Amino acid sequence: MSNTGGPDFVKKLFKMLEDESYSDIVSWGINGDSFVVKEIDAFTKTILPRHFKHSNFASFVRQLNKYDFHKIRNSDDSNSPYGEQAWEFHHPKFQCDKRDQLDNIKRKTPANQKKIASIAVNDGSNMTHLTELQSQVNNLTKLQTNMNEHLHALSKNYHSVVQDLLNFQKNMVAQDQLMQNLVQYLVNLEAEKSGSYNGGHHSGASGENIPTPFIPSDQAQKLINSYTEVARASFDQMNEISRRAQSIHHIASTCNIKNSSTSLSDSGSNTSNESLEFNTQLPLRSNLSDNNIGNINTSTSSESALPKNYISSQSISAAETINISNGYSSNNVSDTMINLHPSDNGLTVLTVGHLTPRQSQSSSTTNLLPVAISNNNSNSSIPHIDNTSPQRASNTMRVHRSTFVPAWSVPPKVLLVDDDAVYQNIGSKFLQVFGCAIDIAVDGISAVNKMNFERYDLVLMDIVLPNLDGVEATTQIRRFDPNTPIISMTSNTTTQECIKYLSHGMNDILAKPFTKANLLSMLERYCMHLKVMPNFQNIPRPLGTADRPTTTMSNNNLISTDDNLNENWMSNQMPLVMSGDNAYSSGPSFTVMSGDNYMQMMSNVVNTSNGARYLEDNDDNQNQRPRKKPKFELVE
Amino acid sequence: MPSTPSPPPSPPFDEERELSTPNSDLIDHETFDQLLEMDDDDEHDFSKSIVLNYFEQAETTFGSMDKALEDRDLNELSKLGHFLKGSSAAIGLTKVKASCEKMQHFGNMTDETGKNTISEEDALTKISTLLEKVKDEYKEAETYLKNFYAERDNS
């Protein structure tokens, strides 16, 4: 072997070339700076196995390449000195006589080194990239935190806004109530005053006799009040009528034919105007029917103004109206006029007269009050209307009866679940006064069943119930009805219990024994969607001439009423405002509205809004008077 | 409803004034007045029917309580106490209501605060004393209410 270093392969190669016996097959080149493989076949078969332990020429060439040997190509024009087949290899340091240079022949690494270098470079760039990413991540995290904080702040703000809204709402309700009470108080004051002027017979308008600074606002308050009255009276009468509906078949049937324009009457006359059929009944009084051709006059027992106005505005809107004259009332002294108004959401009771109590039969003759009613086609003076013992009316008034009926667009349907008959009765009574349709379940199972078959707007659920308690009933109901508000009525209002109720799907808690106010607030909270949104802008304002003794409307379209009516109205309405059921059960007859002041307001509305569809606009301007959808299925 | 308007018995505000003077611990007038407010007229038809209804219910309940006590059924006694508590509260019968609440607690074998446990024997003894007391309180209330309506009717 050799005493010099260098890679084994190079040494083997050198040694192989030193062997002269192979010179025909492989030898140094002519200049000694290259070597030539002359016979590839022989080289592959004999020499390679001997020196390199393989017989693969290609791999030998590859090996050479690795050590940076280069094949010397023969140019085409000069013949190779070693023959066509010869392969000549050259390496600058591989020379015949320079054995010591073999050390310097190294395996080629540049490519690898390059790679490594590039990897290093890559690593460097990766590192910078990484830090970049890292900082990006950091930035993003920071941003995220900021966003979160911002969101937090926003939701906090949102909550406080909601809270404010709720408070505002509460305040609004409270204000409403306050207004109501105020109005009530003022009206009562007025009534007392006028009562003293009236005695048995009404004379003179309050405006004349008691010129107070309150008058204009009083008129407005009267108006507002009258809405309340109408609302309550409507409801009461609906109740009354629905109770009687069974015995008076035609009423029931009329109500069922909801969209047909039907007039049913037992007496009186029908005047049809613009698809409005109208029926007047004045059994004990002179009938105005022969005169009411173009317009419509309604005379109910103690007032006529409002119904007439309702109807005239209806006629303006050419709405279909069904007037039901209660057959029952024709036998009585009173009339009941119900206009079923098939607009918007089903039927609306627009005007309800009243069912005069029996007392009035005796007093009616003595208490007739003249009212002049004029319409555009004819002026007919209608000897009007009894006032049933005004004295009594003012005497029975109760200040505390100041609840107002919320202005429902549709009366909420309430399911009252209680096994206690006392609560059933009180609850239904309250709900009835609030203008709700009521159904009662006496235990949990029937509550679940009822919920299964009917849709309610609100459920008042006692907790301790036979068969299935309120909590479990609620759990079951929630399986098929996740939405209907269920209020827990309970005397057990510890925090723990309340949490239990709420976690079982109840929406709120109404402590027992509940008060009227509590119940009302629940109703208003959970049946808000059924309320008519008040729009105070459209409330007719009283004109400055409100206290004129007699007013003739400029358009002759409305009614000028005797001032007495005003008084009449004042004293008559009192008990009604105070006690909802007086409408049909007690002496003072229900007055929807009356007085020239109201007429003026009405005419103002009609005139200014060019045939304002007063009733059609109910959703807007009817802030106190609910649209009643007559539900005759009211369960009591 | 009479066929002639009955002469107003008194100025409108008097009836509540009359009521609120006596027996202020027997009856919670705020609650009871609320019922009276719902009356349609001087007949007090509504509130009277409620009260009569209550009387009926209370007496039935007392019967059940007697039986439950005999059967030493504390659970039932608690339930009955709760039931009568509710309707008494609705009328505003403060005393009866308070006693019924106690019975509810005793029935659960707790003292009248509902916090500390008592023995079954203890509970039954307490209830039997209490039951007599409630009945007395109820009688008192019943008499008062009956008088109240009798006065109304006569006037």
Side-chain angles (χ1 to χ4, degrees), chain B residues 20-96:
Chain B
S20 45
T21 21
N23 297 306
S24 53
D25 62 331
L26 179 66
I27 286 204
D28 170 30
H29 286 279
E30 213 169 296
T31 310
F32 188 60
D33 288 356
Q34 195 177 250
L35 287 186
L36 293 179
E37 278 175 40
M38 306 306 290
D39 282 335
D40 302 328
D41 50 24
D42 298 325
E43 306 299 308
H44 291 297
D45 281 341
F46 168 70
S47 67
K48 205 164 152 184
S49 77
I50 294 279
V51 168
L52 291 179
N53 205 312
Y54 167 76
F55 288 161
E56 226 172 88
Q57 208 164 269
E59 277 167 35
T60 316
T61 312
F62 284 135
S64 310
M65 283 175 173
D66 287 334
K67 187 172 179 302
L69 187 61
E70 227 170 87
D71 299 345
R72 302 167 63 86
D73 187 345
L74 282 176
N75 192 29
E76 181 68 12
L77 283 165
S78 175
K79 274 187 195 162
L80 291 167
H82 174 85
F83 182 75
L84 193 57
K85 178 182 82 172
S87 36
S88 307
I91 307 281
L93 301 184
T94 322
K95 275 192 192 171
V96 181

Side-chain angles (χ1 to χ4, degrees), chain A residues 44 265 301 311 325 396 443 450 456 477 507 552 577 602 627:
Chain A
T44 307
S265 67
S301 59
I311 291 158
S325 286
T396 51
D443 64 18
K450 277 177 188 284
Y456 297 94
I477 290 166
N507 300 63
T552 307
V577 177
M602 289 307 295
R627 287 163 85 101

Side-chain angles (χ1 to χ4, degrees), chain A residues 31-87:
Chain A
N31 300 325
D33 57 352
S34 65
F35 75 93
V36 182
V37 178
K38 291 166 186 165
E39 298 287 339
I40 291 171
D41 275 356
F43 178 77
T44 307
K45 281 173 188 160
T46 56
I47 299 170
L48 276 183
R50 198 173 301 167
H51 291 271
F52 300 98
K53 293 177 179 133
H54 65 77
S55 56
N56 186 339
F57 185 70
S59 106
F60 172 73
V61 174
R62 234 180 285 132
Q63 200 92 13
L64 285 174
N65 275 334
K66 275 186 189 165
Y67 287 92
D68 214 16
F69 285 78
H70 292 279
K71 188 181 179 211
I72 297 168
R73 293 174 184 280
N74 295 321
S75 50
D76 289 338
D77 49 335
S78 61
N79 277 333
S80 157
Y82 318 110
E84 296 274 319
Q85 301 291 314
W87 289 49

Side-chain angles (χ1 to χ4, degrees), chain A residues 4-7 10 67-69 91-94 98-108:
Chain A
T4 56
V10 181
Y67 287 92
D68 214 16
F69 285 78
H91 189 284
K93 287 167 185 169
F94 190 73
K98 293 186 177 168
R99 196 182 177 121
D100 53 325
Q101 284 194 20
L102 292 182
D103 280 345
N104 297 326
I105 298 174
K106 296 266 165 62
R107 236 179 124 96
K108 282 197 292 191

